[in-house]
Amino acid sequence: MTDSATDARARLEQAGLEATPRRVAVLEALAALPHAPAAQELLDAVRRTTRMDKVTLYRTLDLLVEAGILQRHTGADGAFRHCMAPAGENAPHGHFQCTRCGVMTCLPPLPEALDAAALLPAGVTVEHVEVRLDGVCGRCRQG
Amino acid sequence: MTDSATDARARLEQAGLEATPRRVAVLEALAALPHAPAAQELLDAVRRTTRMDKVTLYRTLDLLVEAGILQRHTGADGAFRHCMAPAGENAPHGHFQCTRCGVMTCLPPLPEALDAAALLPAGVTVEHVEVRLDGVCGRCRQG
DNA sequence: TTGAAAATGCAACTCGGTTGCATTTGAGCC
DNA sequence: GGCTCAAATGCAACCGAGTTGCATTTTCAA
Ligand SMILES: [Mn+2]
Ligand SMILES: [Mn+2]
Ligand SMILES: [Zn+2]
Ligand SMILES: [Zn+2]
């Protein structure tokens, strides 16, 4: 049993969720990827070790987002990406997405400047802040 | 001929695009809406005055975004929204989207704090900044 | 061991958006 | 006013991400 699997189990049980093989596999695959993958890429990664239907993946992602273990972000292409929520940390972070290869990478925590709710119309409540920088990554820019 | 139609024609011709009835109708409908609609809502609005196929709308939106007349933004639900790009202004603005009714509203120009490319990995080029605040709007919050 | 609840798989479906191709429109020209 | 040809539009079929309903399997507690 790898320690990443142990970590995955710990986070699941800590959230009161059953540590099933697919859920552990999803968390392990996600931890092994250096970026925030789309569902299809994550499914491919999981399937290298575990048989899983795409419906199960989508249901698992819903569950993990609901439990606060994962964060869901909107890609410039309209497809969702998921990344690990830093454990015990609640500072939101933004993402960079390459318009050529589509890879989305996590950025360090945002400056507080964004919390400036001064911009907001009156009477609204903000639950989530999404910041995405779109451009060309080093590799696609012919690095 | 309303002056909003005249404005629409002006912007189209200024961009070197033919001012066809559908294009003018799309720009007029968009200018009349107080927010950044999804394609279906925009199509409904246009159809109150003009017969238009959804494919024509999507092609028109592509064209207007390409010409810099419209901006395209990703909604929290994965569907795109479009809003008028302020003429002659290039400061990016963010959006607020209500998680209950789905309405997306434009916000005033962003503070410069976001341009802090200090957060970025080396070798990347940023072309577009997308900022979206998700929460509950005044009306849905039972105003 | 067994029974019920939860998790998973499979097929069919929805919805936003796209593609190919036939038809119509309209600006430039006579 | 009538041609001409490219651009614009409509229609049908399609695509991919994500969802729903329901049958089957797994898990865990009694
Ligand atoms: Mn992230
Ligand atoms: Mn806007
Ligand atoms: Zn790239
Ligand atoms: Zn609302």
Side-chain angles (χ1 to χ4, degrees):
Chain A
M1 159 103 43
T2 79
D3 34 350
S4 72
T6 309
D7 290 353
R9 265 172 242 272
R11 282 198 84 160
L12 286 166
E13 278 155 17
Q14 177 180 350
L17 300 176
E18 203 174 310
T20 71
R22 331 278 142 170
R23 292 174 188 170
V24 172
V26 166
L27 288 180
E28 283 196 85
L30 209 39
L33 287 172
H35 50 269
Q40 185 55 57
E41 182 183 357
L42 183 54
L43 190 56
D44 292 343
V46 166
R47 281 176 169 165
R48 285 206 283 267
T49 70
T50 310
R51 164 201 175 83
M52 178 154 68
D53 189 78
K54 70 168 182 171
V55 176
T56 306
L57 175 60
Y58 283 116
R59 288 197 277 233
T60 300
L61 291 173
D62 284 348
L63 196 81
L64 296 175
V65 168
E66 187 67 21
I69 296 174
L70 297 188
Q71 289 181 7
R72 172 171 295 160
H73 302 285
T74 55
D77 53 4
F80 293 119
R81 315 280 156 142
H82 294 82
C83 62
M84 244 8 147
E89 190 178 327
N90 49 5
H93 67 278
H95 294 86
F96 171 82
Q97 187 173 20
C98 178
T99 55
R100 300 206 191 147
C101 65
V103 168
M104 176 180 284
T105 53
C106 304
L107 297 179
L110 291 173
E112 289 299 316
L114 256 291
D115 292 301
L119 305 174
L120 285 176
V124 313
T125 311
V126 173
E127 294 162 352
H128 178 75
V129 177
E130 183 86 28
V131 173
R132 197 188 62 237
L133 307 179
D134 296 329
V136 181
C137 76
R139 288 201 347 174
C140 287
R141 161 178 270 278
Q142 177 74 283
Chain B
M1 158 105 43
T2 79
D3 34 351
S4 73
T6 309
D7 290 353
R9 265 171 242 274
R11 281 198 86 159
L12 285 165
E13 279 155 15
Q14 179 178 349
L17 299 176
E18 202 175 315
T20 70
R22 332 279 140 169
R23 290 174 190 171
V24 172
V26 167
L27 288 181
E28 284 196 85
L30 210 38
L33 288 172
H35 51 267
Q40 186 56 56
E41 182 183 357
L42 183 55
L43 190 57
D44 292 343
V46 167
R47 280 177 170 164
R48 285 205 283 267
T49 70
T50 311
R51 164 201 175 82
M52 178 153 69
D53 189 79
K54 70 168 183 169
V55 176
T56 306
L57 175 60
Y58 283 116
R59 287 196 277 233
T60 300
L61 290 173
D62 284 348
L63 197 79
L64 296 176
V65 168
E66 187 66 23
I69 297 175
L70 297 187
Q71 288 181 7
R72 174 171 293 159
H73 302 285
T74 53
D77 53 5
F80 294 118
R81 316 278 156 143
H82 294 82
C83 62
M84 257 343 164
E89 191 179 324
N90 49 7
H93 67 278
H95 295 85
F96 172 81
Q97 186 172 22
C98 177
T99 53
R100 300 206 190 147
C101 64
V103 168
M104 175 180 283
T105 54
C106 303
L107 297 179
L110 291 172
E112 288 300 316
L114 256 291
D115 293 301
L119 304 173
L120 286 174
V124 313
T125 310
V126 172
E127 294 162 354
H128 178 76
V129 177
E130 182 88 27
V131 173
R132 197 187 63 236
L133 308 180
D134 297 330
V136 181
C137 76
R139 288 199 349 174
C140 286
R141 161 179 268 278
Q142 176 75 290

